[in-house]
């Protein structure tokens, strides 16, 4: 699937281009990438699936720093309590991470790695955290001024008068 399909027929300079495309496609097609948008102060799930294997070691990294690891025979470990795995799901190949009470500090690139032997196991998850507009405050301050505003919205909202 990830092998350059015409490699056998390529000659000369084309071989170099093909090799480059092949390397790029390796980086792209090996692991699935997801974008997850979490609502601030709520829990959200970062997906990761793998081919179930006996006693697989699951590791989650945030910007290449280990934030959680799990080995079924040893139980849960290496966490600040902010993130959890669904332990009972791991045996079924589901190593999704539960990010609890998300905050803007949780934004970033997460990587799920499992030591199964199957290519494409694991995932890359880009996490965004947003605080949607929950209410709009509108008030008339004087005869000629109407004030419109909202609070606690992230990222900063854009406003338009019509
Ligand atoms: C993994 O398990 C969690 C918790 O039960 C669930 O929310 C999620 O959808 C599951 N993911 C997959 C791919 O089955
Ligand atoms: C994964 O790593 C753990 C801990 O090092 C080991 O016990 C387990 O056998 C490994 N599993 C595979 C499929 O290599």
């Amino acid at each position: 699937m990830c092998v350059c399909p015409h490699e056998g027929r390529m000659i000369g300079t084309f071989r170099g281009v093909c090799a480059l495309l092949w390397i790029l496609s390796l980086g792209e097609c090996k692991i699935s990438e997801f974008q997850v948008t979490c609502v601030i102060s709520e829990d959200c799930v970062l997906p990761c699936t793998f081919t179930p294997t006996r006693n697989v070691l699951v590791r989650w990294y945030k910007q290449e720093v280990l934030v959680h690891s799990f080995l079924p025979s040893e139980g849960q470990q290496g966490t600040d309590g902010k993130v959890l795995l669904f332990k009972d799901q791991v045996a079924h190949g589901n190593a999704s991470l539960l990010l609890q009470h998300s905050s803007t500090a949780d934004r970033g690139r997460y990587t799920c790695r499992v030591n199964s032997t199957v290519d494409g196991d694991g995932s890359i998850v880009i996490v965004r955290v947003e605080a949607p507009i929950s209410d709009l405050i509108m008030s008339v301050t004087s005869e000629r001024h109407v004030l419109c505003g909202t609070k606690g919205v992230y990222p900063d909202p854009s406003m338009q008068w019509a």
Side-chain angles (χ1 to χ4, degrees), residues 45 47-49 86 88-89 93-96:
V45 177
C48 177
T49 53
F86 301 98
D88 53 335
Q89 293 290 314
N94 179 355
S96 302

Side-chain angles (χ1 to χ4, degrees), residues 102-115:
S102 67
S103 75
T104 53
D106 297 323
R107 284 172 301 164
R109 187 177 190 270
Y110 291 73
T111 318
C112 168
R113 298 202 183 111
V114 290
N115 69 342

Side-chain angles (χ1 to χ4, degrees), residues 24 26-36 46-49 60 108-112 120-128:
L24 289 176
L26 264 187
E28 258 173 342
C29 64
K30 237 182 162 177
I31 290 183
S32 12
E33 191 168 319
F34 301 91
Q35 305 253 355
V36 170
L46 282 50
C48 177
T49 53
W60 272 95
R109 187 177 190 270
Y110 291 73
T111 318
C112 168
D121 274 354
S123 65
I124 294 167
V125 185
I126 310 298
V127 173
R128 278 187 287 183

